[in-house]
Amino acid sequence: MPSAKTSICLAITLSIMPCLAAANSVVAKPAIAKDESSQSDIQVDKPVIYQVFTRLFGNKNQTNKPWGTLEENGVGKFSDFDHTALQSIRDLGVSHIWYTGIPHHAVINDYQEYGISLDDPDVVKGRAGSPYAVKDYYNVNPDLADEPQHRLQEFEALISRTHQHNMKVIIDIVPNHVARNYQSLNAPKGIVDFGANDDKSAEYSKYNDFYYIPNQAFKVPALPDDQPLGGESHPLSDGKFDENPAKWTGNGARLAQPNANDWYETVKVNYGVKPNGDFDFPRLPKHFASQDWQAHYQFWQQVDANQIPPAWHKFKAITLYWLNKGVDGFRYDMAEMVPVEFWSYLNSHIKQANPNALLLAEVYTPSLYRDYIHLGKMDYLYDKVGLYDSLKAVIQGKQTTTQIAKDQANIGDIAPHMLNFLENHDEQRIASPEFAGSANNALPALVVSTLLSSSPTLIYFGQEVGEAGAENAGFGQPSRTSIFDYIGVPAHQRYMNDGKFDGGQSTPKEKQLRQYYQRVLNLSHTEPALLGEYIDLHSSNCQTSGLEKNNGVKGNSGYDKQVFAFGRANNQQQMIVVSNFSQHQHKQFTLKLAPAFSQYWTNKASDEQIQLVDKIANNQQVSVINQADGYQLKVSLAPLQSQVWVTNSAK
């Protein structure tokens, strides 16, 4: 980490003004030279995770026919992540790549010559299939391989290439459900398939992997006219799927014929939760919330293996298998649908194998956050029902920035465990009309969400070049890049430039946007203040402005609820972040810093000014002034502009 003498001060101002330039304007050179933008000492204490939808990332085909086949619309391959592609990701400041859609899931392609059974379109969503309907956990999607018979080796080579670029690999584990036709062709010796030993006459047994609907056969749901496959004929598309007795559907639906809106392509896994909700496994004492993963591991070592449902053992074997292949962590789909004791069991075994493994979980119920972190031993949870929802509402003008401060206060004790993001595969693209209409409108939110906490930042591929997700892909609809179809990603394809990854076909705005992302993300894990405390400057400045008493109408200071300010600080470094969320209004005000920063600047003389130098733009200088009522900073922000002031001081 950088350090400096007390008299040396560094300020980094991130201005989005270049990003607002007209499309035909001259594009400025990146503010960070290419050989400097990829930090060799990325601090993984604050990871930057880059989610790629693996089958879409390298696809150069621009046909984008609705319901198009692999041959018509193309598909990306493992080999598309060559050294040039990986270096371009690394240049963004990325520490981890989350390769989405790796485990072999159901797809509508014929791989029978490789011993893979055909998948039935009646229980597959889209033509390319859902990555969350896993068919074989011990192999990978054959679509992604140049030579499907060597698909596992090709993924292992990708893991190695990623590591060569000093990035770590994350893949999905989907513990709540599997594909209706789960069958592993490549499981190691001694591994039994899910459901192979089940007593199918019982709705529930602790030792069954699935739940059953005895004496009833599965019926395909009544699907829309354009499904499956856009109405195209297929030998297996006959409205039937052989499953007798029927199993519960992945989202918990208990009808033999699920609804078209249910997760009908999947079946729910049984973790020892009875149909009435009672638990049928050893409970974890509550005081283990304060225990480390080692204590959790020891607890489960002392439990008779026969008391643990078989699905627990199976998923432990799956995750250890992938760790042994070089995978560095997992993203868990819908983790809250699986009991927290299982996570204690699984995650403590993972940490025993690799203490540095990154464990990220999808949990949407705030009342469960602390249990899944402390008892379930998750490293990170999505901050979706909180910061993401609030930032989206602020961008859309439906909420004020005061909600951001409230959200941060609500999770203050667990903030380092909450993953911040503005896009992922489930959410609308920022640039879509349904979200922000323009990628630039979310730049203040990028700065705030990236620097607000010591937690990781997640970027979804294409976000950094303003991908709008406007394609009518077939099963997937516009505003979200489809995860069910073969499709291209236009803004990303322009940056990819036929594999050069140099932005050769990008618009000026797209290039400038990516440069901005590169600055913010590289900043986020190289400044020590970001591992320090969070300082709420918004609430105190709202009070100074009279906003709390005047119903949000700005007072004399000019600070209002379209602005958000906060600090990050430790003894080594202090940071002040100010963002203007207004798309049209210039903001000018005096930001009050006292008393939050006074503990760090106690050795300053009463009349001493703290000099801040803008090192990215024009080397302009500003000063923090020590007034009788505390430190102040005069701020002037253009629409959608953010400033990040960093001061260094010795301990």
Side-chain angles (χ1 to χ4, degrees), residues 137-138 173 175 182 188 190-194 197 206-209 269-272 280-282 297 300-321 338 341-343 345-347 349-350:
Y137 262 116
Y138 290 98
I173 297 292
Y182 187 93
I191 296 294
V192 178
D193 266 358
F194 287 100
N197 294 332
K206 175 178 180 174
Y207 300 105
N208 279 354
D209 292 326
V269 176
N270 169 24
Y271 283 89
D280 197 6
F281 49 76
Y297 178 77
W300 294 111
Q301 291 299 106
Q302 297 168 19
V303 173
D304 185 341
N306 290 325
Q307 295 302 308
I308 295 176
W312 294 32
H313 297 297
K314 289 182 171 67
F315 272 103
K316 179 187 71 174
I318 288 165
T319 54
L320 295 181
Y321 171 85
V338 178
E341 276 84 0
F342 164 75
W343 294 115
Y345 170 85
L346 181 68
N347 290 341
H349 280 82
I350 290 173

Side-chain angles (χ1 to χ4, degrees), residues 55-173:
R55 71 164 171 250
L56 302 182
F57 180 86
N59 183 20
K60 303 176 183 65
N61 189 314
Q62 300 178 28
T63 304
N64 286 350
K65 174 185 175 181
W67 292 100
T69 65
L70 182 153
E71 291 76 17
E72 291 169 328
N73 282 358
V75 69
K77 303 288 185 177
F78 292 133
S79 57
D80 292 317
F81 294 89
D82 59 15
H83 291 292
T84 301
L86 290 168
Q87 186 59 47
S88 77
I89 296 173
R90 176 68 174 180
D91 285 345
L92 280 172
V94 170
S95 61
H96 294 69
I97 302 182
W98 164 15
Y99 290 104
T100 304
I102 295 300
H104 184 184
H105 59 81
V107 299
I108 307 304
N109 278 313
D110 189 347
Y111 292 107
Q112 292 182 93
E113 64 180 293
Y114 307 107
I116 300 171
S117 61
L118 289 174
D119 292 307
D120 190 329
D122 293 305
V123 288
V124 176
K125 288 184 176 177
R127 189 182 293 276
S130 168
Y132 298 108
V134 176
K135 177 179 178 177
D136 183 354
Y137 262 116
Y138 290 98
N139 216 316
V140 299
N141 181 1
D143 279 354
L144 305 177
D146 294 318
E147 299 181 10
Q149 70 271 30
H150 299 309
R151 58 195 182 278
L152 186 57
Q153 292 89 335
E154 289 187 31
F155 180 57
E156 290 173 324
L158 174 56
I159 294 173
S160 177
R161 288 197 302 277
T162 305
H163 288 165
Q164 289 173 40
H165 286 267
N166 296 315
M167 293 181 289
K168 297 182 182 297
V169 172
I170 299 171
I171 65 170
D172 287 281
I173 297 292

Side-chain angles (χ1 to χ4, degrees), residues 96 323 327-330 350-351 353-359 379-380:
H96 294 69
L323 289 177
V327 168
D328 303 291
F330 304 103
I350 290 173
K351 293 290 189 179
N354 179 4
N356 296 316
L358 187 148
L359 306 176
D379 292 325
Y380 306 109

Side-chain angles (χ1 to χ4, degrees), residues 263-339:
W263 303 348
Y264 61 84
E265 78 281 23
T266 68
V267 293
K268 186 170 180 61
V269 176
N270 169 24
Y271 283 89
V273 180
K274 297 179 180 179
N276 66 1
D278 289 345
F279 294 148
D280 197 6
F281 49 76
R283 302 304 306 276
L284 191 68
K286 287 294 184 183
H287 74 270
F288 270 77
S290 61
Q291 302 294 307
D292 58 21
W293 66 260
Q294 291 94 336
H296 284 244
Y297 178 77
Q298 290 301 322
F299 174 86
W300 294 111
Q301 291 299 106
Q302 297 168 19
V303 173
D304 185 341
N306 290 325
Q307 295 302 308
I308 295 176
W312 294 32
H313 297 297
K314 289 182 171 67
F315 272 103
K316 179 187 71 174
I318 288 165
T319 54
L320 295 181
Y321 171 85
W322 287 111
L323 289 177
N324 190 53
K325 295 289 184 186
V327 168
D328 303 291
F330 304 103
R331 179 268 187 187
Y332 298 132
D333 184 78
M334 293 307 296
E336 67 182 84
M337 298 183 75
V338 178

Side-chain angles (χ1 to χ4, degrees), residues 420-493:
N420 294 340
F421 63 91
L422 296 175
E423 284 190 3
N424 62 45
H425 68 279
D426 285 322
E427 308 300 340
Q428 293 170 326
R429 289 286 194 174
I430 292 168
S432 69
E434 294 82 358
F435 188 161
S438 166
N440 288 337
N441 291 341
L443 291 181
L446 171 70
V447 173
V448 170
S449 65
T450 301
L451 305 183
L452 194 66
S453 170
S454 60
S455 63
T457 300
L458 171 71
I459 301 297
Y460 189 37
F461 87 109
Q463 176 183 342
E464 73 278 14
V465 287
E467 173 58 39
E471 290 65 46
N472 179 9
F475 191 92
Q477 296 304 310
S479 84
R480 294 174 175 84
T481 297
S482 175
I483 66 171
F484 306 105
D485 305 286
Y486 298 110
I487 202 71
V489 184
H492 170 70
Q493 289 176 324

